[in-house]
Amino acid sequence: MSIALAIGLTLSPVIALQAITFYDGPKIDENGLAIEYNNGVCRVAVKGKDSDGERIFAEFSRRLRDGNLSVSLEGPFMQQFSDADPNANHPVTVVFDTGSSAPSRSGGYDVGGFRESAWGGWGPGEASDATYAALRGKSAFSVEMDGNTYGPFTWTGSGALWTALDDCEADNS
């Protein structure tokens, strides 16, 4: 083997890593929210911190065809759950700044992919509608899951997260 080939093979993983774009979270606007619509789903993301002070993101999504509401969390904290069973049910509880809370029907860890997350969902119908309504007028929330608390997640303007979801639904229905 030539020296040039050996050096090339040694450096190729380093050079390949330079071409990878690492996910740095959604593009947050001046109100502290990132709003997105695609494939019949409205999503609003907001940043917060985990217990180690690391930046994380929470995203509420609402599927327009049936009103199914879910929340997902992304950030470095997911490394500790890399061995989590993706089929196990780990519901979350969203705790609002007013002290009210909304426990999800289901939840879990989406691990092993490029964008790993923890999530909770309320399912179509009454539970999603109640949690969606509970977002109205709020300006912060935290998420509790498996004895851990993430957040608080805050934004500018009381009820702005609910308004962004509602506007997205109105614009795309």
Side-chain angles (χ1 to χ4, degrees):
M1 177 183 310
S2 74
I3 292 176
L5 180 60
I7 291 172
L9 289 174
T10 302
L11 292 177
S12 63
V14 173
I15 293 169
L17 276 176
Q18 290 176 352
I20 295 175
T21 302
F22 290 98
Y23 180 69
D24 194 31
K27 199 93 163 135
I28 302 293
D29 69 10
E30 64 277 355
N31 294 326
L33 301 173
I35 303 157
E36 177 186 6
Y37 171 80
N38 63 21
N39 298 325
V41 178
C42 291
R43 293 176 178 82
V44 178
V46 60
K47 61 185 169 184
K49 301 224 182 249
D50 66 12
S51 59
D52 295 327
E54 295 286 332
R55 183 175 66 163
I56 61 174
F57 296 92
E59 177 184 84
F60 269 99
S61 61
R62 184 163 164 90
R63 192 168 54 210
L64 300 186
R65 70 179 159 84
D66 61 7
N68 186 23
L69 187 72
S70 64
V71 66
S72 63
L73 304 171
E74 294 181 19
F77 74 94
M78 282 301 299
Q79 295 170 355
Q80 66 185 330
F81 300 108
S82 61
D83 293 332
D85 179 357
N87 298 313
N89 189 24
H90 299 275
V92 305
T93 298
V94 173
V95 180
F96 298 105
D97 55 338
T98 57
S100 63
S101 63
S104 69
R105 177 186 74 181
S106 57
Y109 300 99
D110 186 5
V111 293
F114 183 67
R115 290 177 65 180
E116 297 182 324
S117 64
W119 62 274
W122 287 265
E126 193 175 311
S128 279
D129 294 344
T131 304
Y132 180 60
L135 280 170
R136 182 179 241 160
K138 305 301 187 283
S139 56
F141 67 90
S142 295
V143 177
E144 297 174 353
M145 182 177 195
D146 285 342
N148 299 300
T149 300
Y150 305 99
F153 299 93
T154 60
W155 54 89
T156 303
S158 181
L161 195 146
W162 179 87
T163 300
L165 279 172
D166 193 59
D167 289 349
C168 177
E169 187 169 348
D171 291 346
N172 296 289
S173 294

